[in-house]
Amino acid sequence: MRGRLNASLIAGAALVGLVVALALLSFVWTPHDPVLVDAANKLRDPGGGYLLGADKFGRDTFSQLMVGARTTLYVGIVAVGIAALIGTPLGMIAGMTRWRWLSELVMRVNDLVFAFPALLLAVMLGAVYGAGTLTAMIAIGVATVPAFARVARAATMQVMVTDYILAARAAGRRRLQVAFRHVLPNIGSMLIVQASVSFAIAILAEAALSFLGFGTRPPTPSWGRMLQESQELLFSTPRLALWPGLAIALAVLGFNLLGDGLRDYLDPKLRRIRAER
């Protein structure tokens, strides 16, 4: 039985919903062209059709934030998708196999990948294939694989000792059938929570990579590159760094709260333990 909706889940869903709404709206409407350079409106203050003002190139800040939300979600969805599609099967194999050496091999390789942060992978891939959005997505996705593998393995090992799994195996079901019909549905809630948390990490990683020049390339708007472009005007025009920084912080906070709320909602036992404290 699932728990009730909690404050973390509601607040996280609201923040994530706001980011998603801005991203979807940017497909059909923005106040101004987000990539149009207009020297006449350079560093224009908020007002007169420019809700948050303009940057040093005369581009509308709010329009850039809207399209930047689209870029951030796109990178996050693909990166988390790569991590889940690779890490989940590996974790399930490590948790279901009868051969201990295979489980240990999978997890040791997993630890080896975990030793390489997304930034280092992005630099390596960028040197070979060139920096860009695709490079950032692959680097973030590969760097997040170990988290999914660990969660999937731990959850699978818990499920494999339950009575219904033993009954399914006694009935002669193949291990692949057991994996898809019994194991995966029962570890799905943990994977959903992990995906939400990993999405927050992906947002920070994408912003960092774009800030350093290894992520989304211009002229496509990116929150990280907006921060990079505003650093030389940090003291004279701090609002240029304030808005993308605030967008990143709220998006990360939203996904973290969503993950925390989903964990409580999908696991009432944890909710009761916290209530007793």
Side-chain angles (χ1 to χ4, degrees):
M1 182 177 178
R2 294 176 178 176
R4 297 179 179 178
L5 297 179
N6 53 74
S8 295
L9 180 58
I10 295 173
L15 289 174
V16 171
L18 177 61
V19 175
V20 173
L22 286 176
L24 293 178
L25 182 60
S26 70
F27 281 103
V28 296
W29 176 83
T30 55
H32 299 274
D33 187 343
V35 299
L36 177 64
V37 176
D38 186 359
N41 288 313
K42 178 180 178 180
L43 299 179
R44 179 169 180 167
D45 292 328
Y50 288 80
L51 182 62
L52 301 179
D55 65 6
K56 63 181 181 180
F57 299 110
R59 298 172 301 190
D60 180 45
T61 300
F62 185 61
S63 298
Q64 284 200 307
L65 285 176
M66 293 177 66
V67 180
R70 186 172 72 196
T71 303
T72 297
L73 291 178
Y74 173 56
V75 173
I77 290 172
V78 175
V80 173
I82 292 173
L85 289 176
I86 298 176
T88 300
L90 287 177
M92 291 176 64
I93 291 173
M96 294 182 64
T97 183
R98 298 175 181 176
W99 300 317
R100 183 177 179 82
W101 65 267
L102 179 58
S103 177
E104 289 296 324
L105 176 63
V106 171
M107 297 315 295
R108 296 297 76 80
V109 173
N110 188 68
D111 292 338
L112 182 63
V113 175
F114 189 73
F116 289 88
L119 178 59
L120 180 58
L121 288 173
V123 173
M124 295 171 58
L125 292 175
V128 177
Y129 301 105
T133 305
L134 180 61
T135 301
M137 290 188 297
I138 295 175
I140 296 170
V142 172
T144 313
V145 166
F148 277 91
R150 289 181 176 183
V151 170
R153 177 178 179 267
T156 299
M157 293 177 68
Q158 292 179 353
V159 172
M160 288 300 292
V161 298
T162 56
D163 293 338
Y164 57 85
I165 294 294
L166 296 177
R169 295 173 65 180
R173 292 190 182 276
R174 298 179 180 178
R175 300 187 75 81
L176 192 60
Q177 291 178 315
V178 172
F180 282 98
R181 293 187 180 183
H182 301 287
V183 177
L184 188 58
N186 283 282
I187 69 173
S189 60
M190 298 183 186
L191 295 176
I192 291 174
V193 173
Q194 180 60 44
S196 180
V197 175
S198 296
F199 212 111
I201 297 174
I203 291 175
L204 282 176
E206 190 279 331
L209 291 173
S210 295
F211 182 87
L212 296 174
F214 295 104
T216 304
R217 305 299 298 274
T220 304
S222 167
W223 291 346
R225 200 176 63 255
M226 290 177 69
L227 282 174
Q228 190 274 332
E229 293 173 348
S230 65
Q231 62 179 341
E232 63 185 32
L233 300 171
L234 185 60
F235 295 102
S236 61
T237 317
R239 62 174 174 79
L240 295 180
L242 172 64
W243 297 119
L246 184 61
I248 294 171
L250 290 178
V252 171
L253 177 63
F255 278 101
N256 279 328
L257 288 176
L258 182 63
D260 189 61
L262 284 172
R263 184 168 57 248
D264 289 350
Y265 177 72
L266 298 173
D267 189 357
K269 294 180 180 179
L270 180 59
R271 181 172 56 86
R272 287 196 296 268
I273 291 174
R274 289 187 175 183
E276 291 175 358
R277 291 179 179 177

